[in-house]
Amino acid sequence: MGESPAIKRAAAIEYESVSAADGLEKGVLIDESDGAPNFSLRRFELAAGSEVPRHTNAVEHEQYVLAGEYVVGVGEEEHVVAAGDALLIPAGVEHWYRNDGDEPGAFLCAVPNGDDTIELVE
């Protein structure tokens, strides 16, 4: 009869460094392992002075900025984003991040469950 609700406490969420991006940490808030049938919700933290290289993903990203101010490149444009801003990065579109500030940036990112191929762009 459908999915069961899930509550995951903050203390249970483990953060790990993202290998392709120095200064980026990811915590999975909710995903298939918690019984979510369609989407994964993750929280990322982008350290002050760090960058995430230009890349593409096979799946769309919906993002919500929680803290800080940082640059998101999407396609050929760069956008300064801050807490309260929301973004859609379509599947296959090149994107990257740069935090030039003194404070960490943090954002939520929702993606469809399933395989995602990440390709770095030279």
Side-chain angles (χ1 to χ4, degrees):
M1 184 171 103
E3 296 77 32
S4 298
I7 304 290
K8 189 186 279 185
R9 302 293 179 189
I13 297 165
E14 294 182 15
Y15 285 81
E16 58 185 31
S17 295
V18 177
S19 60
D22 289 337
L24 185 67
E25 290 201 335
K26 174 176 82 171
V28 176
L29 306 182
I30 296 287
D31 71 358
E32 289 172 290
S33 68
D34 301 298
N38 299 306
F39 300 100
S40 294
L41 183 62
R42 301 94 49 86
R43 182 181 183 276
F44 287 85
E45 190 157 307
L46 183 61
S50 63
E51 294 186 22
V52 176
R54 184 184 288 252
H55 65 283
T56 62
N57 293 76
V59 299
E60 68 190 85
H61 291 26
E62 283 83 14
Q63 297 181 350
Y64 179 77
V65 182
L66 296 169
E69 183 176 280
Y70 54 92
V71 175
V72 180
V74 182
E76 294 306 315
E77 296 185 10
E78 290 194 353
H79 307 273
V80 175
V81 297
D85 291 344
L87 301 83
L88 168 63
I89 301 171
V93 172
E94 292 181 12
H95 56 288
W96 63 97
Y97 306 85
R98 185 178 69 246
N99 185 351
D100 295 325
D102 297 327
E103 301 292 326
F107 59 95
L108 296 176
C109 182
V111 294
N113 283 336
D115 293 335
D116 178 18
T117 302
I118 300 167
E119 292 188 16
L120 295 179
V121 178
E122 296 300 320

